[in-house]
């Protein structure tokens, strides 16, 4: 990609990005990610496919750009709560609770994140906000390992997978059951279960 195209990505009009964001939220909250093509998105957003390809290159980068602000808010909300705790176990509980509260406040973002986008996608490409969010979780889990709260194996990757896999499953069930479960309580219980498994 030529250098000038990279610069262009930073210069898309905020109003155009907001139209795309609104359209993406509508489309992906109603259907599956793979069913919507760039032409469908552009038709509904009244934006030319040329614009999307010029600024984003593909559907994946468009989606990340449209959700970046939400994931940055997730990270900031969780970070603020975690910073109010000094005990690693309480930090882990805050992380889980604030994450659940964030998605309760934004069910459309929850549906897109946990139901409509394949998990493998998030393993390969993540928005900056999600990178920061997962980095915060890793640091909390490492503190808990050092304190002996979770696992004696010191396998941080396995612990990360147990937490994120369990949380994703809780969220997926909540989304697929029309938001009827109490995911805030379940998220808090998750930390207790993980800590008891270590005993």
């Amino acid at each position: 990609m030529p250098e000038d195209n990279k610069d262009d990505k930073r210069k898309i009009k905020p109003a155009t990005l907001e139209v795309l964001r609104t359209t993406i939220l509508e489309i992906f909250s109603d259907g599956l990610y793979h069913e919507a093509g760039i032409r469908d998105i552009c038709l509904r957003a009244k934006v030319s496919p040329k614009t999307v390809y010029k600024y984003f290159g593909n559907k994946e980068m468009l989606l990340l750009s449209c959700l970046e602000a939400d994931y940055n808010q997730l990270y900031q909300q969780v970070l603020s709560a975690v910073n109010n705790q000094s005990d690693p176990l309480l930090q882990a509980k805050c992380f889980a609770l604030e994450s659940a509260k964030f998605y309760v406040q934004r069910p459309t973002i929850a549906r897109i994140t946990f139901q409509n986008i394949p998990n493998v996608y998030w393993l390969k490409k993540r928005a900056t906000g999600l990178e920061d969010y997962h980095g915060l979780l890793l640091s909390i889990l490492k503190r808990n390992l050092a304190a002996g709260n979770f696992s004696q194996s010191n396998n941080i990757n396995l612990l990360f997978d147990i937490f994120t896999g369990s949380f994703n499953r809780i969220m997926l069930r909540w989304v697929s059951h029309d938001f009827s479960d109490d995911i805030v309580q379940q998220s808090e219980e998750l930390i207790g279960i993980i800590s008891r498994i270590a005993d």
Side-chain angles (χ1 to χ4, degrees):
M1 178 180 291
E3 191 66 35
D4 59 336
N5 283 351
K6 289 182 180 177
D7 292 340
D8 284 344
K9 287 184 181 180
R10 294 191 293 267
K11 295 178 183 174
I12 190 168
K13 293 178 183 175
T16 303
L17 184 59
E18 185 54 32
V19 168
L20 285 166
R21 180 184 184 282
T22 302
T23 303
I24 286 225
L25 293 183
E26 289 171 1
I27 291 175
F28 291 160
S29 66
D30 291 339
L32 296 175
Y33 172 77
H34 66 274
E35 292 176 353
I38 285 183
R39 292 196 181 281
D40 300 322
I41 295 166
C42 292
L43 188 63
R44 283 181 61 171
K46 296 181 174 61
V47 174
S48 76
K50 183 178 177 182
T51 298
V52 170
Y53 286 116
K54 176 181 178 183
Y55 290 104
F56 305 103
N58 56 45
K59 184 172 67 170
E60 290 79 12
M61 293 309 297
L62 171 63
L63 178 63
L64 284 178
S65 295
C66 289
L67 295 180
E68 181 69 48
D70 297 288
Y71 293 133
N72 282 332
Q73 289 174 8
L74 168 64
Y75 170 66
Q76 291 300 326
Q77 181 173 325
V78 172
L79 178 65
S80 178
V82 165
N83 283 343
N84 287 328
Q85 301 292 337
S86 57
D87 179 79
L89 194 54
L90 290 178
Q91 288 180 339
K93 286 183 179 179
C94 277
F95 187 96
L97 284 171
E98 289 303 317
S99 297
K101 288 177 186 177
F102 173 87
Y103 287 111
V104 166
Q105 296 164 354
R106 296 164 184 82
T108 299
I109 302 301
R111 189 181 298 279
I112 291 170
T113 302
F114 297 102
Q115 185 177 19
N116 295 345
I117 300 174
N119 283 330
V120 68
Y121 172 76
W122 296 116
L123 290 174
K124 291 182 177 180
K125 298 175 182 176
R126 284 193 221 130
T128 304
L130 277 186
E131 291 287 353
D132 294 339
Y133 172 79
H134 286 127
L136 176 62
L137 174 58
L138 276 172
S139 68
I140 292 169
L141 294 176
K142 286 176 183 175
R143 279 182 232 133
N144 277 282
L145 281 177
N149 291 335
F150 285 161
S151 171
Q152 301 306 313
S153 73
N154 290 324
N155 188 334
I156 190 66
N157 291 326
L158 180 59
L159 187 56
F160 180 85
D161 288 344
I162 289 170
F163 179 88
T164 55
S166 300
F167 184 78
N168 287 0
R169 176 69 182 195
I170 289 168
M171 297 300 298
L172 178 59
R173 186 175 58 247
W174 175 66
V175 167
S176 63
H177 290 175
D178 294 322
F179 312 107
S180 60
D181 297 334
D182 185 349
I183 59 164
V184 174
Q185 179 186 349
Q186 290 176 19
S187 298
E188 185 174 20
E189 290 175 7
L190 171 61
I191 300 301
I193 289 169
I194 292 174
S195 63
R196 284 193 295 275
I197 287 172
D199 297 338

